Amino acid sequence: MRWIIFSTLLLLLSTTLSSQAAFTDQSSAAGVNNVGFNRGVAVVDFNNDGWEDLYFTRIAKSNLLYRNNGDGTFSDVSQAAGVAVTLDSGASVWGDLDNDGWADLVLGNRDVPSQVFRNNGDGTFTDITQVTGVNNIGKVQTVLLADVNNDGWLDIYWANLGTENALYLNQGNGTFTDVTLSSGTSDTKLNMGAVFFDYDNDGDQDLYLSHDGDQANILYQNDGKGQFTDVSTEAGVNYEGQGMGVDAADFNNDGYLDLYITNLYENTLYLNNQDGTFSDLSTSAQVDDLGMGWGTIWMDYDNDGWMDLYVANETYFPVFGNFYDNIMYRNLGDLTFESSVSNSPLNSSLGGYGTACIDVNKDGNLDIIIANSGATDGNQLLMNQGENGHHWINLELEGTLSNRDAVGASLCLYSGELRLCDQLMAGTGYASQNSMRLHFGLGENTTIDSLIVKWPSGQKEVYTELWVDSYYHIIEATSVTNTVEEEGLSAIRVKIFPNPVQETLTFEPYLQQTAGSSTYKIWDSLGRLILRDEFPSQLSTQQIQLTIPSTWLNGLYFLQIEQGAASLWQKFLLNR
């Protein structure tokens, strides 16, 4: 009898310990542990070198852009890039606003105009706020990107504290139009976190807003044309509390996205019932953390096929006399979670605000970035050192008919009995942005049966013959490529400017000297080849200019660059 009890205790202890991922704090070694009043962190590959970079927004200090060196370290390039803004930035988000293949930067500032920076493609940025027509002034807590009307262009939404929120519609010509009132999203409450996600799986981006001050949260349903209706009450998600961050994910693998909201006092978990309503599972799931919650992220940290949950707490803020550290909740796959052990780097006791996940070193394990707000706190990079033998797949999407970043795309992956679904979002948690490369843990499964991608354009594609433990680059209506194979072709890029095009198409190809002959083609929106030509021999970087024939009609076109077996696509708009 004693042996049975002892064995049971050992088994329970082994199960608990094995469930904890081995995270190490590499903040100092990586060079990102800057100190002071950090608010949010956004993940981006701003220079298209294949390694994801970091941007921190800060209060009373200049913002910071860290370039990933590909060796576990980062370099501060804020000043050289022209984005060392010192205007009390509350939040930021990255996205390709002009569909030219380079991630642009949108800043949400506090009590001064927010800003839009165009990525010049050479490591620098230009402030284009004035020419875009954007004019948002408020205490911005969160800024998001989404294609709310599915026209192929990313729109901008600012969530402001106590003043009217702002939705600016991308006109596809470098300008934006304020449609806040006409869209129905002109909320004026104490906005904090926000997220665009397709809660009803109808192919458009709905919007959830988290509020402070015991003001009811709001769920806006999108009609597919960018018109929103408040359905909070009937959906059962009109929680009244001190809401802070919010993120969405399919934590029970039923194909519908669920919600998690951080609060001062108990956090809230809403299960999507698949019928337009949600159920509060906070207590039964054991994720009702009492801390002063801010940033939160869904992530499968142990690659077991179930989305786990990380919460960043401002630990200097007492709740009923207690101080609560950050916490990781491991998904047990039965609608319950277990919390991370103490004395782990996961349980940071600093003043956590924004947080995001990223695979810094491309080892198939998701790492965590935390923006800490304390005057003497440094930001943190928690590297995931887990080695449990679980498999995974990492997917980078590129839209052609859809917006270039494919924000709003829905994916479902089938592997044995696993059905894993996710959506690509730009802006989650609190004032932050996760990697835009979607990551699926596969547990012990060694094969993938199929991957279904529903693009924002409405196009649906099915992919098979994908390998586990691999990174893939999927281009809408074109191709899927293993990014390991792409590394040898990483120098092949193209920059189109200006975009939209008027009388002259100007583009700069970046080609390899030794990769064989090179051609470029132009296709119209119906898939018809209308121009083909070869590049000059031995071309590395050279500006190509084409006068647009008068017979070409205004609309969407595709530039294809071919070099050897490699093919790269860029979308441009003709608007004379």
Side-chain angles (χ1 to χ4, degrees):
M1 182 68 177
R2 289 179 179 177
W3 172 248
I4 294 174
I5 295 174
F6 181 67
S7 298
T8 302
L9 288 174
L10 281 179
L11 177 62
L12 290 174
L13 180 60
S14 174
T15 301
T16 301
L17 292 178
S18 66
S19 70
Q20 307 302 328
F23 282 81
T24 61
D25 191 330
Q26 296 293 319
S27 317
S28 178
V32 298
N33 61 331
N34 58 283
V35 172
F37 307 114
N38 301 283
R39 273 299 186 269
V41 57
V43 178
V44 63
D45 181 6
F46 81 91
N47 57 353
N48 287 347
D49 66 350
W51 298 93
E52 292 191 295
D53 314 298
L54 304 172
Y55 189 73
F56 290 95
T57 48
R58 306 204 291 173
I59 304 298
K61 288 192 174 184
S62 62
N63 297 343
L64 293 167
L65 176 61
Y66 284 109
R67 185 189 64 223
N68 189 335
N69 297 321
D71 60 0
T73 69
F74 292 78
S75 297
D76 183 352
V77 295
S78 318
Q79 293 290 341
V83 291
V85 177
T86 56
L87 294 176
D88 286 357
S89 299
S92 67
V93 67
W94 294 84
D96 191 351
L97 300 178
D98 51 8
N99 288 334
D100 69 346
W102 300 90
D104 308 301
L105 172 64
V106 181
L107 279 184
N109 297 322
R110 299 177 57 167
D111 299 323
V112 296
S114 293
Q115 294 167 283
V116 180
F117 288 86
R118 184 179 188 273
N119 189 332
N120 298 321
D122 59 1
T124 69
F125 294 79
T126 300
D127 187 339
I128 59 171
T129 311
Q130 293 294 325
V131 298
T132 61
V134 164
N135 184 30
N136 177 68
I137 300 177
K139 284 185 172 63
V140 177
Q141 301 298 310
T142 294
V143 57
L144 309 173
L145 297 179
D147 184 359
V148 300
N149 57 356
N150 285 344
D151 66 349
W153 302 93
L154 288 178
D155 312 303
I156 308 174
Y157 190 78
W158 282 278
N160 299 320
L161 183 70
T163 58
E164 186 177 79
N165 291 351
L167 174 60
Y168 277 81
L169 206 64
N170 191 333
Q171 301 301 302
N173 61 2
T175 68
F176 291 76
T177 300
D178 186 346
V179 296
T180 311
L181 288 174
S182 62
S183 69
T185 59
S186 56
D187 180 49
T188 58
K189 295 180 181 179
L190 299 176
N191 286 280
M192 301 298 289
V195 65
F196 277 107
F197 75 119
D198 185 4
Y199 84 95
D200 50 6
N201 283 354
D202 65 352
D204 54 51
Q205 296 299 285
D206 309 301
L207 174 63
Y208 191 78
L209 303 178
S210 175
H211 294 138
D212 201 353
D214 294 318
Q215 297 179 344
N217 294 349
I218 294 178
L219 173 62
Y220 286 116
Q221 184 181 41
N222 189 344
D223 69 353
K225 300 178 182 179
Q227 300 297 308
F228 293 81
T229 303
D230 185 344
V231 295
S232 315
T233 301
E234 49 264 52
V237 291
N238 57 332
Y239 178 86
E240 296 181 6
Q242 288 76 45
M244 300 300 168
V246 58
D247 197 7
D250 179 13
F251 85 89
N252 62 335
N253 290 348
D254 67 349
Y256 283 77
L257 295 192
D258 314 295
L259 284 169
Y260 190 74
I261 303 113
T262 57
N263 291 278
L264 169 59
Y265 310 122
E266 295 92 344
N267 294 346
T268 305
L269 173 64
Y270 282 122
L271 174 70
N272 192 327
N273 296 321
Q274 305 182 26
D275 60 0
T277 69
F278 292 76
S279 297
D280 187 342
L281 297 190
S282 314
T283 302
S284 63
Q286 303 177 58
V287 292
D288 51 347
D289 179 59
L290 272 175
M292 175 67 261
W294 288 93
T296 184
I297 47 176
W298 289 100
M299 58 182 291
D300 186 358
Y301 80 85
D302 54 0
N303 285 332
D304 67 349
W306 298 93
M307 294 294 276
D308 310 301
L309 188 57
Y310 190 67
V311 176
N313 286 317
E314 185 183 2
T315 59
Y316 306 133
F317 193 102
V319 180
F320 302 125
N322 296 313
F323 299 87
Y324 291 84
D325 294 341
N326 296 356
I327 190 168
M328 175 71 83
Y329 289 105
R330 178 175 178 262
N331 190 340
L332 300 179
D334 59 359
L335 301 183
T336 68
F337 295 74
E338 67 175 4
S339 58
S340 55
V341 297
S342 58
N343 300 320
S344 161
L346 291 171
N347 300 96
S348 169
S349 59
L350 302 179
Y353 267 56
T355 186
C357 62
I358 173 180
D359 186 356
V360 168
N361 55 356
K362 297 184 183 180
D363 67 349
N365 291 319
L366 291 179
D367 312 302
I368 297 174
I369 302 289
I370 307 169
N372 290 309
S373 64
T376 59
D377 290 347
N379 290 328
Q380 290 174 284
L381 169 59
L382 306 183
M383 294 294 293
N384 188 343
Q385 308 292 339
E387 296 182 4
N388 54 18
H390 287 167
H391 300 288
W392 50 271
I393 188 172
N394 191 286
L395 306 166
E396 179 183 359
L397 302 184
E398 180 180 327
T400 54
L401 301 174
S402 306
N403 66 84
R404 172 73 184 223
D405 291 323
V407 172
S410 296
L411 292 80
C412 281
L413 182 147
Y414 295 85
S415 176
E417 296 182 356
L418 278 179
R419 178 178 67 164
L420 308 174
C421 298
D422 204 355
Q423 293 175 15
L424 184 54
M425 309 170 204
T428 57
Y430 175 78
S432 297
Q433 179 179 18
N434 289 324
S435 167
M436 292 177 69
R437 299 170 182 171
L438 295 177
H439 184 96
F440 293 98
L442 301 172
E444 297 179 357
N445 292 8
T446 57
T447 59
I448 295 170
D449 301 319
S450 64
L451 171 71
I452 300 175
V453 180
K454 295 180 181 178
W455 299 88
S457 65
Q459 180 156 311
K460 177 180 175 180
E461 296 180 275
V462 180
Y463 303 92
T464 58
E465 299 182 1
L466 301 177
W467 296 90
V468 301
D469 303 334
S470 299
Y471 292 84
Y472 283 97
H473 180 193
I474 300 177
I475 304 177
E476 181 181 13
T478 305
S479 65
V480 54
T481 308
N482 189 305
T483 54
V484 173
E485 298 169 0
E486 287 183 333
E487 288 183 359
L489 304 172
S490 61
I492 303 176
R493 304 190 305 274
V494 63
K495 176 183 176 184
I496 298 175
F497 57 93
N499 192 359
V501 175
Q502 293 181 336
E503 302 298 331
T504 303
L505 169 65
T506 304
F507 62 97
E508 289 183 355
Y510 296 79
L511 305 172
Q512 293 189 103
Q513 295 279 4
T514 59
S517 61
S518 305
T519 62
Y520 59 90
K521 301 175 182 178
I522 295 179
W523 307 75
D524 66 14
S525 60
L526 297 178
R528 297 176 298 192
L529 179 64
I530 57 177
L531 187 148
R532 181 189 184 280
D533 203 352
E534 293 188 359
F535 288 110
S537 61
Q538 301 303 314
L539 174 71
S540 176
T541 300
Q542 179 176 318
Q543 190 176 103
I544 305 294
Q545 289 189 329
L546 298 175
T547 301
I548 300 296
S550 59
T551 55
W552 291 17
L553 301 177
N554 284 350
L556 191 63
Y557 292 84
F558 300 90
L559 171 66
Q560 181 186 11
I561 307 295
E562 291 183 322
Q563 186 177 35
S567 181
L568 184 68
W569 293 72
Q570 281 277 22
K571 180 168 57 176
F572 68 91
L573 182 70
L574 177 61
N575 185 21
R576 280 185 287 214

